[in-house]
Amino acid sequence: MTSEASCYTIVYEDSSESPSTQDLRNALQKGTDEVKLDTLRKIIISTINGNPQPQLLMPVIQYVMPSRNKALKKLLHFYWEVCPKYDENGKLKQEMILVVNAIRNDLQHPNEYIRGATLRFLQKISKDAELLEPLIPTCRSCLEHRHSYVRKNAVFAVYTIYREFEHLIPDAPELIQTFLAAESDATCKRNAFVFLANCAMPKAVEFILQVFDQISGMDELLQMSIIEVIRLDCKRDTSHRARYILLISELLNASSHAVKYEAATTLTSLTQNPAAVKAAASCYINLVLKESDNNAKIIVLDRLDTLRSKHGHVIDTLIMDVLQILSSTDLEVRRKAINIVLSMTSSRNVEEVVLFFKKQLQKTQEQEFEKAAEYRQLLIQSIHVCAVKFSEVAASVVHALMDFLGDSNNPSALDVVAFVREVVEKFPPLRQTICEKLIQTLGEIKSGKVYRGVLWILGEYAESVADIQATFLELRKVLGEIPILASEQRLLEEAGVEDGEEKKDEQQPKTDGAKPRVLADGTYATETAFSSMSTARLEAVKAAAKPPLRTLILGGDFFTGAVLSSALTKLVLRYDELSGDQRKSNGLRAEAMLIMASVIRVGQSQFVSAPIDEDSSERILNCIQTLSELEDKPAVHEIFLKNTKAAYSKMVSAQEKKAAEKKELESTKAKIVQVDDLLTFRQFSKKAVDDALDDAEDVGRATGASDTHEDFISNLNRICQLTGFSDPIYAEAYVKVHGFDILLDVLLVNQTANTLQNLCLDFATLGDLKLVERPSVYTVAPHSFQSIKATIKVSSTETGVIFGSILWEGAGMAEQCVILNDIHIDIMDYIKPAYCTEAQFRSMWTEFEWENRVNVTTTIADPREYLQHVMKSTNMSCLTPEGAVSGDCDFLSANMYARSLFGEDALANLSVERTEAGTITGHVRIRSKTQGIALSLGDRITMAQKDNKPPV
């Protein structure tokens, strides 16, 4: 009986204002209705918090029960629910006879609200048979009351009593069946039907068959209950399946969205007929189009995706209907719809799909969409997938997408570059036209990253003499006048000549009225007009309108300058091979070398925002050297003209192979059934989309209740010793992490010969940990054991510490105490490996502000072995492809990513180098949105470095 006792919520009670029992009695006896309300509320809070005050039961019966105040009657029901109704011997208290009599009077009250509220109260005390027995006749009579509020509560009151004590109302199913046949109110009919569904399933099925033709016009709640009964009945061997399928098909056209969703879900579990599957999919699509709640749309789309994965190409003909979902304004809904569309795309419909995507892409330019930039990027990525998968549409979309290379939204333009790069590699016939289009769009590009991608493509795939010459011609336009430094200097001088008066001021600086300035060394100096005016002219020259590529170089983007040099080198080398005109070849070479030298020179001048970096300078000089020794180094020519293209081709092939392996793995993934596993007959039935047909099974799967396997050895590893063996009390705790909770099972051993009274285990936490409830006070006999459980909530991935003490009363009521060892919570229980794209990683790396840098100190000699060591110790996955980290090399750079149970992202970059001494040096940089996870992972890596082997 104790295990089935009701569970009440703990309500906060202000101990500073807790009145005495006598004060409460006086307030009940002499107070007004408002005072009695407040007093009864205090008594209820005190009772559910463990202080029942049984001596107040009689005053409540005497002074509160006779009141006609409806609020007081409602509160009185709460009190009867929580107050102690039995004495020490387990018998019903004598006072409860008066309570039962009052409840019977309320059940016969002329006011329908009081009757209905009292019937609802009966459902709360459904486990007290002695209280309920005298009330059964009155409760039955309420089924015939004129008001529907009373009748609907009477049905559920009968239901709860019959479920607990069937002998009190043995004829309840027949009674409710008769009631259901005569009832006209929709809610009452639904409640009565729920009773039959749970207590007399054959009668519920009989009712469905009786009103079969009227169900489509019934109330929404009753329709939902009927669908639930059909699902449950079909789990058994039923002869009505065909009629059920007909009924559910009709309910697909119901006015209620909830009914349509449940009907579509149930239909796919009853039959695998392609027509039924297609009807259910159409219903899902209509629901997404008509439903206003975005969360509901995402849930329905998930169900549609599951249906598609189970039934192959049955619903592929509905692809254009799914595309209509893109009219939604929510980006997440659009993303999910596009994923479904891409999985349904085939060679038969790909042209229609791509045409729709192109129209949507055009709309993002013409109209003001919400999150238009992100939507445009999503569409470009989708077209990319279609074009690579179906070569027949690549030619039609690649030119349309290249119009977006000049897009102000940088990610969209980068996606276009990635798409063009892949298309130009995979489809050689398109290279000529793509290169021509890229050459034309060079002047529209604004981003350095996009320029780098386009220059690489032109350097690799501009394979004809005409294309190479056209590329040089267009590059002259986007670079402006060459040499850059000389032309910028001339502009500066011209600006000085134009303003004659200011030039005179420069020759005769006026110092009158100029304020003295304090220099860094503490001396005074006078600022003249000469310096301020020349600075102003320099800034004006910098701010003047310039061609796009020149603007980037002057802005300090020398990485783009290095890529430009590499592309020019490839073009000159290829032109030299193709053209027989040595004079033109030398002219082109000289022009390329002039451009490269010009980039280096201007990078060392005052005209750039930041001076040129050493890496870019060295790379450009290498390109100049390669062109100056054109005939002497054929090996270098091969590197420029063949090896870089071969490396990209190899990367594309590796990506295709990885995608194919992943697809094959998903298609062949099967559930492993052990030899000795029990088989159920349901496993021999046809496959169903909705494998879990009842909510209880769904909940079990969601909570993982059926998948828990306790391992004795792993349990022993989680035991923490809290006190020493010589302490009066020995304590140890078994720490179990379960989702967002930490369960502490503490075992206390009284090692003394005395009884320890009022023993209390007091816990405190550090970090984002919160103790749910304080353990109770115990009395522990000599040399006996006491088990205490405590639950701690975790709210973020941060290293938490639990510390505490044990308090008890010793001899002479003196308080004694033992301080416990700290329990450190391992954050690895909350961090799981995860994967993201390179673009997402870079975006998050830029966005996250917390960084923790850990220097590498280890005896491991191999960089790749150290990478594996860090991955195991931090539960992070490596995002850098295997091909990039393989091979024999003395340095290694890799990106890692993990995600916590709380949705926190953790990024890490490992950069290590092997020294001549054979040791590894470098660092690991960790970034996250919150400080806690960055520090915790850094501590974890530091601890793991002390040992070559990662912690188990």
Side-chain angles (χ1 to χ4, degrees):
M1 191 68 189
T2 317
S3 62
E4 295 180 1
S6 300
C7 175
Y8 305 113
T9 307
I10 295 177
V11 181
Y12 174 70
E13 183 179 12
D14 191 352
S15 55
S16 62
E17 298 181 3
S18 55
S20 65
T21 304
Q22 188 58 43
D23 292 339
L24 292 170
R25 183 193 292 270
N26 291 337
L28 291 173
Q29 184 177 352
K30 300 175 182 176
T32 61
D33 281 350
E34 285 73 19
V35 173
K36 288 179 181 179
L37 267 171
D38 187 53
T39 307
L40 192 55
R41 191 176 287 112
K42 289 177 182 175
I43 295 171
I44 292 170
I45 291 172
S46 174
T47 303
I48 63 179
N49 283 346
N51 184 17
Q53 300 183 0
Q55 60 270 39
L56 289 174
L57 179 59
M58 202 60 208
V60 170
I61 293 171
Q62 281 180 298
Y63 305 118
V64 180
M65 208 163 65
S67 173
R68 294 187 176 184
N69 186 297
K70 292 185 178 63
L72 208 50
K73 278 187 177 294
K74 183 68 178 173
L75 206 57
L76 202 54
H77 289 161
F78 290 143
Y79 178 69
W80 298 140
E81 188 182 340
V82 301
C83 75
K85 307 174 189 66
Y86 298 89
D87 57 20
E88 296 81 0
N89 301 320
K91 294 184 178 180
L92 196 69
K93 290 183 178 180
Q94 296 295 322
E95 294 93 331
M96 296 311 291
I97 296 172
L98 298 171
V99 175
V100 170
N101 189 48
I103 293 171
R104 187 192 293 112
N105 291 338
D106 283 344
L107 287 173
Q108 297 171 337
H109 201 282
N111 184 297
E112 59 271 7
Y113 167 75
I114 293 176
R115 277 205 191 198
T118 310
L119 286 163
R120 291 188 68 178
F121 162 66
L122 290 186
Q123 300 171 38
K124 305 287 181 62
I125 58 167
S126 60
K127 294 194 183 289
D128 300 307
E130 292 181 62
L131 282 177
L132 293 170
E133 193 169 358
L135 302 172
I136 298 300
T138 320
C139 187
R140 291 176 65 126
S141 66
C142 288
L143 288 170
E144 300 168 4
H145 193 271
R146 59 181 175 77
H147 204 283
S148 61
Y149 178 72
V150 177
R151 295 199 303 274
K152 73 177 184 181
N153 283 304
V155 171
F156 270 171
V158 170
Y159 169 46
T160 51
I161 295 169
Y162 179 78
R163 190 178 56 189
E164 295 296 334
F165 307 104
E166 192 174 325
H167 65 278
L168 292 180
I169 320 179
D171 62 334
E174 291 76 15
L175 178 68
I176 296 298
Q177 188 179 23
T178 308
F179 170 85
L180 182 58
E183 183 56 57
S184 58
D185 182 74
T187 311
C188 296
K189 289 178 80 169
R190 180 256 180 187
N191 288 6
F193 185 76
V194 168
F195 174 97
L196 294 179
N198 288 277
C199 300
M201 178 63 84
K203 295 186 184 299
V205 173
E206 186 184 331
F207 173 76
I208 292 175
L209 298 175
Q210 284 175 357
V211 296
F212 191 86
D213 297 329
Q214 305 161 28
I215 290 175
S216 56
M218 285 183 174
D219 181 71
E220 171 191 349
L221 292 173
L222 189 53
Q223 287 178 340
M224 294 281 283
S225 301
I226 287 171
I227 292 172
E228 182 64 24
V229 167
I230 289 173
R231 270 216 297 258
L232 293 172
D233 193 37
C234 284
K235 290 177 73 174
R236 305 177 301 177
D237 189 17
T238 177
S239 58
H240 307 301
R241 183 181 288 267
R243 297 192 70 185
Y244 286 158
I245 292 171
L246 182 63
L247 173 60
I248 295 294
S249 301
E250 287 181 12
L251 289 178
L252 290 176
N253 302 315
S255 57
S256 165
H257 288 182
V259 173
K260 290 169 82 168
Y261 175 78
E262 289 296 331
T265 305
T266 306
L267 183 62
T268 54
S269 66
L270 296 182
T271 177
Q272 304 303 308
N273 184 287
V277 171
K278 197 177 286 187
S282 296
C283 181
Y284 286 143
I285 294 167
N286 288 331
L287 277 176
V288 176
L289 291 171
K290 293 177 181 176
E291 179 59 50
S292 57
D293 184 10
N294 288 328
N295 292 324
K297 288 184 178 187
I298 289 172
I299 291 169
V300 177
L301 283 171
D302 279 334
R303 181 65 71 173
L304 180 63
D305 195 26
T306 307
L307 196 65
R308 180 207 55 76
S309 63
K310 294 275 185 181
H311 294 278
H313 300 292
V314 173
I315 63 172
D316 280 1
T317 53
L318 300 174
I319 190 167
M320 297 311 292
D321 296 333
V322 179
L323 282 170
Q324 300 305 316
I325 297 171
L326 295 181
S327 59
S328 169
T329 56
D330 185 71
L331 190 65
E332 202 56 42
V333 173
R334 286 171 168 168
R335 181 175 283 111
K336 199 165 279 292
I338 283 179
N339 287 339
I340 294 172
V341 166
L342 292 178
S343 59
M344 294 167 67
T345 306
S346 64
S347 55
R348 292 191 300 274
N349 55 31
V350 65
E351 291 185 4
E352 295 175 353
V353 171
V354 169
L355 183 64
F356 188 90
F357 283 159
K358 284 166 71 176
K359 287 179 180 176
Q360 288 289 306
L361 204 55
Q362 199 64 37
K363 284 182 182 178
T364 62
Q365 295 286 90
E366 296 168 358
Q367 302 173 11
E368 272 302 317
F369 270 91
E370 188 182 352
K371 294 188 176 178
E374 291 91 336
Y375 183 41
R376 191 181 311 138
Q377 187 179 355
L378 185 62
L379 288 169
I380 290 170
Q381 290 169 352
S382 307
I383 294 173
H384 181 174
V385 172
C386 290
V388 171
K389 196 173 176 183
F390 305 98
S391 56
E392 60 267 26
V393 297
S396 65
V397 297
V398 68
H399 293 289
L401 283 187
M402 279 195 281
D403 293 336
F404 293 90
L405 283 171
D407 195 351
S408 56
N409 179 36
N410 197 26
S412 298
L414 285 175
D415 284 333
V416 173
V417 167
F419 165 64
V420 172
R421 189 169 56 203
E422 194 167 345
V423 168
V424 85
E425 166 61 30
K426 285 189 172 183
F427 308 113
L430 299 176
R431 289 177 184 174
Q432 174 80 22
T433 54
I434 289 175
C435 287
E436 289 173 2
K437 180 70 175 176
L438 284 178
I439 293 166
Q440 293 170 15
T441 55
L442 276 174
E444 301 167 10
I445 300 171
K446 303 177 181 66
S447 162
K449 287 184 178 180
V450 178
Y451 255 120
R452 292 198 287 273
V454 171
L455 288 171
W456 186 88
I457 294 169
L458 289 173
E460 294 292 350
Y461 300 102
E463 295 171 337
S464 68
V465 172
D467 283 347
I468 294 171
Q469 290 175 338
T471 304
F472 264 88
L473 189 65
E474 195 62 34
L475 283 175
R476 288 189 201 110
K477 294 178 184 176
V478 295
L479 276 169
E481 189 180 345
I482 300 293
I484 301 174
L485 179 60
S487 59
E488 293 294 313
Q489 190 70 45
R490 192 174 69 252
L491 284 173
L492 183 63
E493 290 169 1
E494 286 173 0
V497 171
E498 285 172 7
D499 197 346
E501 291 180 7
E502 289 182 339
K503 191 157 180 16
K504 287 179 184 178
D505 290 339
E506 288 172 23
Q507 291 171 349
Q508 298 176 354
K510 294 181 181 179
T511 58
D512 297 341
K515 293 182 180 179
R517 297 291 176 101
V518 181
L519 301 179
D521 59 355
T523 57
Y524 288 93
T526 305
E527 182 184 25
T528 66
F530 178 79
S531 59
S532 60
M533 281 170 15
S534 58
T535 304
R537 282 204 308 277
L538 179 62
E539 291 301 321
V541 169
K542 284 184 181 181
K546 296 181 178 68
L549 190 52
R550 189 190 193 96
T551 304
L552 290 170
I553 292 171
L554 291 173
D557 188 357
F558 292 104
F559 183 27
T560 302
V563 174
L564 169 67
S565 303
S566 177
L568 289 172
T569 305
K570 292 173 188 175
L571 291 171
V572 170
L573 291 174
R574 191 172 293 113
Y575 187 88
D576 190 59
E577 286 183 357
L578 297 172
S579 172
D581 191 341
Q582 194 62 38
R583 186 180 173 189
K584 286 185 178 179
S585 177
N586 289 340
L588 217 57
R589 175 167 41 153
E591 185 178 354
M593 292 172 73
L594 177 63
I595 292 171
M596 296 179 206
S598 178
V599 172
I600 294 178
R601 289 287 307 280
V602 80
Q604 298 165 345
S605 71
Q606 62 181 343
F607 292 99
V608 292
S609 305
I612 188 168
D613 57 285
E614 191 178 338
D615 288 344
S616 299
S617 177
E618 187 176 346
R619 192 175 179 197
I620 296 171
L621 284 171
N622 285 339
C623 293
I624 294 174
Q625 186 179 1
T626 301
L627 291 180
S628 64
E629 302 169 355
L630 200 58
E631 288 83 15
D632 302 338
K633 301 283 179 67
V636 178
H637 296 187
E638 190 173 341
I639 291 171
F640 272 103
L641 293 179
K642 296 179 181 176
N643 291 7
T644 51
K645 188 190 292 186
Y648 177 67
S649 179
K650 187 179 178 183
M651 188 182 90
V652 171
S653 302
Q655 288 175 348
E656 286 179 349
K657 186 179 177 183
K658 192 173 180 181
E661 287 175 356
K662 185 180 178 184
K663 188 175 181 181
E664 186 180 352
L665 186 67
E666 287 175 355
S667 61
T668 58
K669 189 185 287 183
K671 188 176 179 181
I672 298 172
V673 181
Q674 297 297 335
V675 177
D676 56 348
D677 280 357
L678 291 175
L679 295 178
T680 61
F681 286 107
R682 285 184 65 198
Q683 284 179 299
F684 294 114
S685 63
K686 290 183 179 179
K687 66 175 182 177
V689 171
D690 194 357
D691 292 328
L693 290 177
D694 56 349
D695 293 334
E697 203 171 328
D698 277 342
V699 171
R701 289 183 176 190
T703 57
S706 57
D707 300 330
T708 53
H709 299 289
E710 292 292 340
D711 183 10
F712 181 70
I713 299 299
S714 66
N715 286 354
L716 290 179
N717 290 335
R718 292 179 174 273
I719 290 177
C720 301
Q721 185 178 338
L722 301 180
T723 63
F725 293 112
S726 59
D727 285 318
I729 297 177
Y730 172 73
E732 64 182 24
Y734 163 55
V735 183
K736 183 179 181 182
V737 177
H738 184 74
F740 304 115
D741 296 340
I742 297 173
L743 307 177
L744 295 181
D745 190 350
V746 184
L747 175 68
L748 303 181
V749 183
N750 181 1
Q751 302 193 104
T752 68
N754 304 319
T755 299
L756 305 181
Q757 295 186 343
N758 294 330
L759 183 141
C760 176
L761 182 62
D762 191 22
F763 280 121
T765 58
L766 189 67
D768 284 335
L769 305 176
K770 184 180 179 183
L771 192 65
V772 175
E773 56 186 339
R774 302 282 174 189
S776 304
V777 177
Y778 300 91
T779 299
V780 185
H783 303 291
S784 68
F785 299 83
Q786 179 66 51
S787 179
I788 302 175
K789 289 182 171 59
T791 305
I792 292 170
K793 286 281 182 190
V794 186
S795 55
S796 76
T797 314
E798 187 174 344
T799 302
V801 181
I802 304 170
F803 51 92
S805 59
I806 304 173
L807 305 170
W808 73 93
E809 289 179 3
M813 303 294 286
E815 188 177 85
Q816 296 189 8
C817 172
V818 172
I819 304 299
L820 305 178
N821 283 336
D822 296 347
I823 301 174
H824 291 267
I825 303 304
D826 188 0
I827 66 161
M828 289 304 108
D829 291 321
Y830 298 98
I831 291 182
K832 304 296 178 192
Y835 294 92
C836 66
T837 63
E838 184 185 354
Q840 289 170 332
F841 183 91
R842 289 179 182 276
S843 173
M844 288 188 284
W845 186 268
T846 308
E847 178 189 346
F848 293 170
E849 54 187 18
W850 289 104
E851 179 174 313
N852 188 9
R853 180 178 171 133
V854 180
N855 291 323
V856 174
T857 53
T858 179
T859 56
I860 299 175
D862 185 23
R864 283 186 300 281
E865 187 182 337
Y866 182 74
L867 172 64
Q868 295 298 325
H869 171 65
V870 172
M871 286 166 59
K872 286 180 183 176
S873 59
T874 57
N875 277 0
M876 300 187 91
S877 60
C878 181
L879 299 180
T880 307
E882 181 63 31
V885 296
S886 61
D888 187 19
C889 189
D890 285 339
F891 62 87
L892 174 69
S893 180
N895 293 333
M896 293 175 287
Y897 177 61
R899 201 172 164 79
S900 75
L901 291 179
F902 309 96
E904 299 165 312
D905 297 297
L907 313 175
N909 172 259
L910 170 74
S911 298
V912 291
E913 182 180 4
R914 185 161 47 200
T915 62
E916 293 179 0
T919 58
I920 291 177
T921 61
H923 55 263
V924 183
R925 294 165 67 195
I926 304 157
R927 285 199 183 184
S928 65
K929 190 172 281 188
T930 55
Q931 182 183 18
I933 190 169
L935 293 176
S936 301
L937 281 173
D939 294 342
R940 182 74 182 181
I941 293 172
T942 305
M943 289 169 60
Q945 285 187 144
K946 293 177 182 177
D947 186 3
N948 286 352
K949 297 178 182 177
V952 179

